């Protein structure tokens, strides 16, 4: 229902999705119930926008670089206690954003929009699991995104049959882009500038939709006699 051209840049492509959804909602008062995409759409800010602002189910993989290789503990091995606002390690010890009370309230939010949770050095020094948790540091640190709640929503959706079905449906959409490139020869744009790209892609999408409409509505030549 909409087209928004962007440079060949991942961030710009993701941001264009917001533009199109907002524009369609403003013009037609409709918005999708779910959004299907690849990992590029699974960043914390994008997931927060979908879940908290638009109430759209994110059927996308979560962009997560915190998983560790080998047998060392990853963040998924730590339990988040929402009420206490702290993590619990596999040994049952706490990881907190602050271990003492400050006179002035602190947010602890970093420039990367995360909050660092650290374990106690005393707990780690005598822990038998230290070699699998933080062998090269005195304490274990976990950087929790301020949008972690939205990331958890996406993780839970990824475990559902609906998510699996969405992944299959996404392949059909990707086939349409392949059709644009191979059949309609939109492997490169001829018009210059972003406005030219908008016009060219809009016309190509219109042609593609008309072709599909003709196939759906065609019943063959009328019979006589």
């Amino acid at each position: 229902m909409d087209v928004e051209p962007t440079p060949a840049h991942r961030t710009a492509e993701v941001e264009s999705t917001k533009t199109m959804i907002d524009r369609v909602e403003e013009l037609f008062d409709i918005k999708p119930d779910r959004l299907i995409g690849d990992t590029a759409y699974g960043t914390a800010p994008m997931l927060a926008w979908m879940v908290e602002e638009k109430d759209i189910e994110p059927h996308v993989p979560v962009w997560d670089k915190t998983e560790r290789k080998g047998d060392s503990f990853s963040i998924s091995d730590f339990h988040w206690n929402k009420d206490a606002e702290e993590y619990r390690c596999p040994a049952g010890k706490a990881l907190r954003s602050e271990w003492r009370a400050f006179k002035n309230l602190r947010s602890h939010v970093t420039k990367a929009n995360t909050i660092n949770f650290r374990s106690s050095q005393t707990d780690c020094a005598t822990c038998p699991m230290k070699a699998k948790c933080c062998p090269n540091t005195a304490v274990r640190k976990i950087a929790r995104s301020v949008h972690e709640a939205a990331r958890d929503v996406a993780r839970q959706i990824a475990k559902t049959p609906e998510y699996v079905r969405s992944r299959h449906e996404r392949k059909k959409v990707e086939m349409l882009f392949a059709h644009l490139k191979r059949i309609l020869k939109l492997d490169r744009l001829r018009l210059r500038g972003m406005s030219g790209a908008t016009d060219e892609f809009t016309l190509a999408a219109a042609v593609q939709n008309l072709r599909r409409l003709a196939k759906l509505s065609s019943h063959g030549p009328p019979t006589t006699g």
Side-chain angles (χ1 to χ4, degrees):
M1 297 183 69
D2 199 356
V3 172
E4 179 67 20
T6 66
H9 190 274
R10 178 181 295 169
T11 303
E13 293 173 359
V14 172
E15 288 298 319
S16 69
T17 302
K18 296 182 180 180
T19 301
M20 289 186 287
I21 290 177
D22 287 337
R23 191 159 53 204
V24 169
E25 184 177 12
E26 181 180 353
L27 292 175
F28 304 106
D29 194 27
I30 58 174
K31 66 179 178 66
D33 295 325
R34 55 182 173 148
L35 190 147
I36 308 171
D38 56 23
T39 312
Y41 296 85
T43 61
M46 184 64 181
L47 291 174
W49 180 82
M50 283 189 278
V51 174
E52 298 169 4
E53 293 188 32
K54 290 297 181 180
D55 193 26
I56 297 175
E57 288 189 0
H59 288 229
V60 298
V62 177
W63 182 292
D64 193 353
K65 293 186 176 182
T66 60
E67 292 297 320
R68 295 188 175 185
K69 298 180 180 179
D71 59 350
S72 59
F73 295 138
S74 297
I75 291 182
S76 57
D77 297 311
F78 291 73
H79 174 70
W80 171 249
N81 188 327
K82 183 178 180 180
D83 296 330
E85 293 189 351
E86 65 180 24
Y87 280 99
R88 286 283 170 173
C89 72
K93 303 300 182 180
L95 285 80
R96 298 170 181 163
S97 59
E98 59 182 32
W99 283 92
R100 63 184 179 88
F102 292 94
K103 184 177 181 180
N104 297 322
L105 186 64
R106 301 186 179 186
S107 66
H108 301 287
V109 178
T110 66
K111 293 181 179 179
N113 279 334
T114 60
I115 299 176
N116 292 324
F117 290 80
R118 293 179 173 85
S119 59
S120 166
Q121 188 170 352
T122 303
D123 291 336
C124 291
T126 58
C127 181
M129 299 182 180
K130 189 177 189 304
K132 295 182 63 176
C133 186
C134 51
N136 301 320
T137 57
V139 299
R140 178 61 186 263
K141 183 182 76 172
I142 292 179
R144 179 180 174 86
S145 171
V146 295
H147 305 303
E148 197 66 28
R151 285 158 57 89
D152 287 339
V153 170
R155 292 188 184 101
Q156 292 301 317
I157 291 176
K159 300 176 182 178
T160 63
E162 290 77 9
Y163 178 85
V164 177
R165 184 166 62 250
S166 294
R167 305 312 295 172
H168 289 294
E169 292 176 352
R170 179 173 175 263
K171 295 179 181 178
K172 298 179 181 179
V173 178
E174 295 296 335
M175 289 177 62
L176 295 178
F177 286 105
H179 181 271
L180 282 172
K181 292 180 179 180
R182 298 183 61 183
I183 307 301
L184 299 184
K185 304 301 181 182
L186 201 67
D187 51 342
R188 63 183 297 270
L189 299 177
R190 277 75 178 175
L191 301 180
R192 300 178 64 181
M194 298 301 292
S195 60
T198 301
D199 295 340
E200 191 168 350
F201 203 94
T202 301
L203 289 173
V207 170
Q208 188 177 57
N209 287 335
L210 289 173
R211 285 169 58 97
R212 297 181 66 196
L213 181 62
K215 290 181 179 180
L216 292 174
S217 60
S218 176
H219 299 287
T223 57
T224 59

